[in-house]
Amino acid sequence: GARELAGYLAGLGGWVAALAAAVLPQWRQSSYAGDAIITAVGLHEGLWMSCAAQSTGQVQCRLHDSLLSLDVHIQTSRALMVISLLLGFFGIIVSVVGMKCTKVGEEDPITKSRIAVAGGILFVLSGLCTLAAVSLYATQVTYEFFRESTVPINARYEFGSALFVGWGAASLTVLGGSLLCCSCPAKERRGQQYYRQSQPSTTREYV
């Protein structure tokens, strides 16, 4: 029960962090490398909007106008994050039903353990989708930063804080799902073990 609760809390925390990462516009931000360290405007871009933060503290954001005009890696990361959040949402619901410390749904411990394992699998898949989305976006940012270009290095983009939140969310979600997947039906295992041990002796008695 304690392991299931720890897995559920880790999965829930990872899902909340993934939701925050998907909403935050800091997936990539202006680079402050190079000669011109002090800039008047800092640019941030995310999956849904781009923002400009001025040195006076004023921040202006604008939603991405067109879906089809976006780069492929942004569209793919969007889709993966949406799938991740949906899988995590269903994982939260299924895990609540399958946990031993809840009175929701079935009362058979074997059935509840199987439901908890199903919730853990959903959490693991959600974490993998988050990991794929964040890593794909980070790979594209790295490629654009180091490729040869006429753009000055201080006008390029580097990793934003949302990427690190996404990596942390993926780790928590996969960890929570793995703990929930360890909830094997103990009674069924003992029954199978007893059957294996009693089968040869029964055969010898008949012989």
Side-chain angles (χ1 to χ4, degrees):
R3 183 168 51 189
E4 285 183 353
L5 182 60
Y8 177 77
L9 293 177
L12 179 61
W15 184 82
V16 173
L19 178 61
V23 175
L24 286 174
Q26 288 88 6
W27 280 62
R28 67 175 185 172
Q29 62 186 11
S30 299
S31 175
Y32 295 99
D35 299 330
I37 299 177
I38 301 176
T39 57
V41 180
L43 301 179
H44 306 274
E45 288 191 7
L47 298 179
W48 314 99
M49 66 180 69
S50 58
C51 298
Q54 301 180 2
S55 58
T56 58
Q58 185 180 5
V59 180
Q60 295 178 346
C61 296
R62 185 189 69 177
L63 294 173
H64 295 315
D65 298 328
S66 176
L67 173 64
L68 299 179
S69 63
L70 294 175
D71 295 334
V72 177
H73 71 281
I74 298 180
Q75 298 183 21
T76 306
S77 297
R78 270 187 178 185
L80 287 172
M81 288 304 296
V82 171
I83 294 174
S84 171
L85 293 175
L86 289 176
L87 289 173
F89 177 76
F90 289 118
I92 292 172
I93 297 176
V94 173
S95 299
V96 169
V97 178
M99 291 174 61
K100 299 175 182 178
C101 58
T102 61
K103 302 296 182 181
V104 183
E106 296 286 341
E107 296 184 358
D108 184 13
I110 296 179
T111 305
K112 288 182 73 70
S113 297
R114 291 174 178 172
I115 297 175
V117 170
I121 293 174
L122 291 174
F123 272 131
V124 170
L125 293 177
S126 174
L128 292 178
C129 288
T130 302
L131 179 63
V134 176
S135 300
L136 174 64
Y137 197 98
T139 302
Q140 184 66 25
V141 172
T142 304
Y143 169 75
E144 292 179 358
F145 186 88
F146 287 106
R147 71 178 178 180
E148 296 181 359
S149 175
T150 57
V151 179
I153 190 172
N154 53 20
R156 302 176 189 177
Y157 289 94
E158 59 185 24
F159 293 170
S161 58
L163 293 181
F164 300 100
V165 175
W167 278 317
S171 302
L172 274 177
T173 311
V174 172
L175 175 62
S178 301
L179 290 175
L180 286 172
C181 287
C182 295
S183 304
C184 298
K187 286 187 177 181
E188 187 177 13
R189 288 204 309 266
R190 286 198 299 266
Q192 291 178 353
Q193 184 178 4
Y194 174 77
Y195 177 77
R196 295 193 195 99
Q197 292 177 354
S198 62
Q199 186 69 24
S201 61
T202 306
T203 306
R204 286 196 298 268
E205 288 177 1
Y206 280 106
V207 173

